[in-house]
Amino acid sequence: MSLSAYVDTLNLLGDESRLRLCALLRERELCVTDLVRVTGIAQSRVSTHLGRLRDAGFVHDRRNGTQCFYALAEDALPAAVRAVLDDAAVSADPTLAGDQKRLVELEAERRGGLPDSAADDLERYYSPGRTWQSLAAGLAALLELGDVLDAGAGDGAAAATLAPYCRSLTCVDSNARMVDTARARLAKVAHARVETGDVHALAFADASFDSVLLFHTLTYAADPARAVAECARVLRPGGRLVLLCLDRHEQREITARYGELHPGFSPEDVRKLLSVAGLRVKTSHVASREAKKPHLEVVLAIAEKTDVGKS
């Protein structure tokens, strides 16, 4: 860069609000309303700052209906800007840390649908009514799940999609707040119950369920092997366990903010956990990759409990 370009860059990042916005937009795409809620900066000022950052090529925008979403244009950033943002990402500054905390809380409020990246991919081939939510509901209608346990059900979003196709549905989570949310979500489902419980010590008799869901629970479990063993214990012979978890990664600084205890599990790790628990593994593989950096991947595993009398 020329000397004048350096000066312009320093002037642009010399404003605290613009630096905060860049730090937030580096991790994910956000709209003005999101940024206002997280930072507390007035909407008019957020829009003005975004306009300056966009004009400088630091951020790019994408329109979706009436909303405009912004993201950091990382590939186009000068090295000096990346260095400043790298330092900000590991800073203990209370303002930046507060922004990240409020962003996590905002996303937790909205959690319950499919990831934004999945919706973005589907938009490329959009036609009216063709959404991930509608496709998931349609595919779920093909299922006959019997008595189902959702171990680590969180807010009950996945369970709510599957509820119409279960004979009975039991949701368990150790987080009381999540249990309350799931209970409210499933309040009108007569055959569903939501309980506070520990996946390491499930309060159910052996062979109680036809299907067990272990969706993004393993990385939060203090003892993953014990959690899988408990799920296997309560599964009926011939029953099926379906597991989703993050693949092993090096992005612990991101996932730890959500309370995750483990940096993911490789397909081989998952296969071993399921096998040791006495289940026959049908598949364990990376099923999806997030479009946004750092491109975290998700492992899908399916295992069955061997029928009595079979080896």
Side-chain angles (χ1 to χ4, degrees), residues 12-23 39 41 45 49 53 99:
L12 194 62
L13 290 184
D15 182 276
E16 177 181 307
S17 296
R18 287 194 287 272
L19 185 55
R20 290 171 69 188
L21 295 177
C22 285
T39 64
I41 302 170
R45 289 185 58 208
H49 289 314
L53 290 167
D99 286 347

Side-chain angles (χ1 to χ4, degrees), residues 198-211:
D198 183 358
V199 70
H200 301 92
L202 295 169
F204 308 110
D206 295 356
S208 294
F209 300 97
D210 299 298
S211 306

Side-chain angles (χ1 to χ4, degrees), residues 86-102:
D86 284 342
D87 190 63
V90 297
S91 169
D93 178 80
T95 300
L96 293 173
D99 286 347
Q100 293 298 329
K101 180 176 182 291
R102 286 185 292 275

Side-chain angles (χ1 to χ4, degrees), residues 5-225:
Y6 275 117
V7 171
D8 289 342
T9 296
L10 290 172
N11 283 333
L12 194 62
L13 290 184
D15 182 276
E16 177 181 307
S17 296
R18 287 194 287 272
L19 185 55
R20 290 171 69 188
L21 295 177
C22 285
L24 289 166
L25 294 173
R26 187 178 196 183
E27 298 201 18
R28 51 188 58 74
E29 190 181 57
L30 298 167
C31 66
V32 171
T33 303
D34 294 333
L35 292 166
V36 170
R37 286 192 60 182
V38 170
T39 64
I41 302 170
Q43 182 171 333
S44 59
R45 289 185 58 208
V46 168
S47 297
T48 299
H49 289 314
L50 289 173
R52 289 198 59 183
L53 290 167
R54 181 181 54 202
D55 292 344
F58 285 17
V59 303
H60 54 76
D61 57 0
R62 175 183 67 85
R63 185 160 292 280
N64 182 13
T66 60
Q67 282 193 314
C68 197
F69 291 87
Y70 296 83
L72 198 67
E74 285 201 71
D75 294 340
L77 292 178
V81 176
R82 289 198 296 272
V84 170
L85 294 176
D86 284 342
D87 190 63
V90 297
S91 169
D93 178 80
T95 300
L96 293 173
D99 286 347
Q100 293 298 329
K101 180 176 182 291
R102 286 185 292 275
L103 180 57
V104 170
E105 291 171 350
L106 175 64
E107 291 182 333
E109 283 181 23
R110 294 177 175 173
R111 200 170 295 141
L114 288 163
D116 288 343
S117 57
D120 290 344
D121 288 340
L122 193 65
E123 271 184 7
R124 301 175 192 172
Y125 311 104
Y126 175 78
S127 60
R130 189 174 183 267
T131 63
W132 276 110
Q133 288 81 1
S134 67
L135 291 175
L139 291 171
L142 298 172
L143 303 174
E144 292 182 7
L145 297 174
D147 298 316
V148 176
L149 171 66
D150 189 346
D155 62 5
T161 300
L162 298 175
Y165 316 107
C166 306
R167 181 168 53 242
S168 71
L169 172 63
T170 303
C171 298
V172 171
D173 201 278
S174 60
N175 186 310
R177 184 176 177 183
M178 287 293 186
V179 167
D180 289 342
T181 302
R183 192 168 283 144
R185 188 190 296 272
L186 294 163
K188 295 183 179 180
V189 182
H191 59 279
R193 58 176 172 160
V194 182
E195 302 177 0
T196 302
D198 183 358
V199 70
H200 301 92
L202 295 169
F204 308 110
D206 295 356
S208 294
F209 300 97
D210 299 298
S211 306
V212 174
L213 312 180
L214 202 56
F215 286 1
H216 299 291
T217 300
L218 217 55
T219 52
Y220 295 90
D223 187 342

Side-chain angles (χ1 to χ4, degrees), residues 249-257:
H249 60 82
E250 303 296 330
Q251 306 297 331
R252 193 146 192 178
E253 72 282 359
I254 294 176
T255 59
R257 293 203 303 265

Side-chain angles (χ1 to χ4, degrees), residues 290-308:
E290 294 183 353
K292 297 175 186 175
K293 292 181 179 179
H295 308 301
L296 294 170
E297 296 181 328
V298 175
V299 173
L300 165 67
I302 303 171
E304 293 180 341
K305 193 166 187 176
T306 306
D307 290 342
V308 175

